Amino acid sequence: MSETASTPPDLPDVSGGPDDAPLLQLVTPAGARVTTPETDAYRERVAHLDGAALRSLYRDMVLTRRFDDEATSLQRQGELGLFAQSKGQEAAQIGSGRALAPQDYVFPSYREHGVSHVRGIDTVDRLRLFRGVDHGGWDPTVHNVHLYTLVIGSHALHATGYAMGVQRDGLVGTGDAARDTAVVAYFGDGATSQGDVNEALVFAAVNNAPVVFFCQNNQWAISEPTSKQTRVPLYRRGGGFGIPSVRVDGNDVLACYAVTAEALERARSGGGPTFVEAFTYRMGAHTTSDDPTKYRSRAQEEYWRRRDPIDRLEALLRAEDAWDEAFAAEVGTEAEALGERLRTETRALAAPAGASMFEHVYATPHSVVERERAWFTEYEQSFAEEAAR
């Protein structure tokens, strides 16, 4: 790195912090390109991203941030039961999401709103789960994105199993760029303490599965700092299972794009799994039921606010004369429209019919489910008949 920041003494001792282990960075917090020999291969992977492409990344990050802010406000107004912010993690999500090919498949946790944005999932559909009107919110087969997973780390096994299926279907290592497929599992630092994630790493390694484990280390598993979860940087977990691993500045969108592109290429070509640790920071609360002031200091929050991933990309654009005030105004207008639509349409989401619980239980018709549906329908009608008397 061309810039090294010392950790202020009032910050918690986070094992594997930015000064304790190698951290791939292509753009410094001040917006300067990093041009060391160690970054040559990764810089080649982003060389095609011109000013227009960088502005597009900026747009995606700003819209994701606005989605976060509006959804949080809606929850505070009682329109959502809960919401999990991704504020501060936009670079990790947009950068990695943009590296995906259309045929790649994503298994998210519950705060991958930036990845969902890149994959074309409608903003309102992302909130159906948090409003409690749907178990998911979108059709996974349309976007190649599985539904949000609330059970911490369980989806890492699902992703590995899916990747093993892709492998057995002959969709890996064919040399056909439109056919070869990779799978990505997104999870946080806290999930690495779960047995499911470690079991997934075992299966992925021994089966050489085409899966990328993308860990967004935002430094807090709810209120538990990373130092209480591990004694070594998390990216070393992969090495313990024989999986190539890399640690990247999660607030650097270009670096996140580059390492994910490399990992996906390895997976699609038959090279097996990769473990990526994106070192970032959760600027908001764990969820809207959490109060981060109880366990972290304002000094730490300010330290990371100065490393805001959106500000970093804007600084790069300005430094390279690729910033356009008209474009910025256009993005601002688009963000306002997104916020207005989210407020209006989310409030309009009504509770589903009770009988909808019987839909999508099985892939094909099931006699027991049909009998239960018939009984429930009759039961509901009995109330209407009683009221009509």
Side-chain angles (χ1 to χ4, degrees):
M1 293 186 298
S2 61
E3 177 178 293
T4 302
S6 60
T7 305
D10 59 345
L11 297 183
D13 178 19
V14 180
S15 178
D19 302 319
D20 301 327
L23 189 69
L24 176 71
Q25 188 180 78
L26 297 183
V27 180
T28 70
R33 298 265 187 175
V34 178
T35 57
T36 60
E38 295 78 14
T39 63
D40 285 349
Y42 290 106
R43 283 188 287 115
E44 289 179 8
R45 291 189 176 277
V46 298
H48 66 288
L49 299 176
D50 58 11
L54 295 179
R55 287 192 293 273
S56 183
L57 289 169
Y58 176 85
R59 170 187 174 274
D60 284 347
M61 291 167 69
V62 169
L63 294 180
T64 299
R65 176 75 58 91
R66 184 53 179 266
F67 168 80
D68 255 38
D69 291 342
E70 290 296 338
T72 300
S73 295
L74 284 167
Q75 194 283 328
R76 297 306 189 205
Q77 296 163 27
E79 300 294 344
L80 303 177
L82 187 74
F83 184 68
Q85 290 180 297
S86 62
K87 189 173 184 178
Q89 299 177 217
E90 294 89 357
Q93 295 191 15
I94 299 300
S96 62
R98 282 292 198 93
L100 292 162
Q103 71 271 18
D104 293 336
Y105 205 97
V106 174
F107 284 82
S109 59
Y110 46 77
R111 73 172 81 247
E112 274 66 55
H113 313 311
V115 180
S116 300
H117 170 82
V118 170
R119 297 299 273 185
I121 297 175
D122 185 76
T123 52
V124 177
D125 287 344
R126 292 178 229 158
L127 294 184
R128 293 178 183 275
L129 173 67
F130 297 107
R131 189 166 169 84
V133 300
D134 197 293
H135 291 303
W138 61 84
D139 183 347
T141 62
V142 172
H143 306 280
N144 274 11
V145 178
H146 196 268
L147 303 176
Y148 280 167
T149 303
L150 302 183
V151 180
I152 306 298
S154 64
H155 61 297
L157 281 170
H158 307 157
T160 301
Y162 191 95
M164 291 167 62
V166 165
Q167 183 185 58
R168 285 153 176 73
D169 285 342
L171 299 176
V172 177
T174 69
D176 184 348
R179 185 183 182 196
D180 287 339
T181 303
V183 179
V184 182
Y186 287 92
F187 50 84
D189 47 293
T192 64
S193 298
Q194 294 290 337
D196 287 357
V197 171
N198 292 274
E199 291 167 11
L201 291 169
V202 171
F203 275 90
V206 299
N207 288 281
N208 209 43
V211 58
V212 177
F213 296 100
F214 196 94
C215 173
Q216 295 174 83
N217 179 3
N218 65 25
Q219 304 180 52
W220 295 96
I222 308 182
S223 59
E224 200 78 341
T226 313
S227 57
K228 296 294 181 66
Q229 303 174 67
T230 179
R231 296 185 65 177
V232 299
L234 290 176
Y235 80 100
R236 294 186 186 173
R237 292 284 180 89
F241 293 90
I243 296 175
S245 304
V246 61
R247 193 165 188 267
V248 62
D249 185 338
N251 285 15
D252 179 350
V253 68
L254 295 190
C256 290
Y257 177 97
V259 299
T260 308
E262 178 189 57
L264 291 170
E265 182 181 288
R266 178 182 296 119
R268 297 189 200 109
S269 64
T274 301
F275 187 99
V276 176
E277 179 195 354
F279 191 81
T280 182
Y281 189 77
R282 165 168 54 80
M283 293 174 68
H286 172 68
T287 69
T288 46
S289 65
D290 170 45
D291 179 6
T293 65
K294 301 294 184 182
Y295 54 82
R296 67 188 192 193
S297 69
R298 292 189 180 276
Q300 185 190 41
E301 292 176 346
E302 180 57 30
Y303 174 85
W304 284 98
R305 191 170 289 111
R306 294 195 300 272
R307 286 150 180 78
D308 188 305
I310 297 177
D311 293 345
R312 183 182 308 201
L313 183 53
E314 179 181 339
L316 173 66
L317 287 166
R318 289 183 181 277
E320 299 186 349
D321 295 324
W323 181 257
D324 187 320
E325 294 295 346
F327 160 76
E330 180 183 320
V331 172
T333 299
E334 189 174 357
E336 288 296 325
L338 182 151
E340 178 59 33
R341 175 173 173 252
L342 208 58
R343 291 190 294 272
T344 301
E345 295 189 19
T346 299
R347 291 187 177 112
L349 290 175
S356 66
M357 75 175 84
F358 299 101
E359 297 173 5
H360 310 300
V361 177
Y362 291 96
T364 57
H366 193 284
S367 60
V368 174
V369 174
E370 291 308 312
R371 285 200 302 271
E372 291 175 343
R373 184 204 301 269
W375 177 89
F376 182 81
T377 300
E378 182 179 351
Y379 176 72
E380 277 200 318
Q381 289 176 345
S382 68
F383 289 95
E385 292 170 358
E386 182 67 27
R389 291 177 184 174

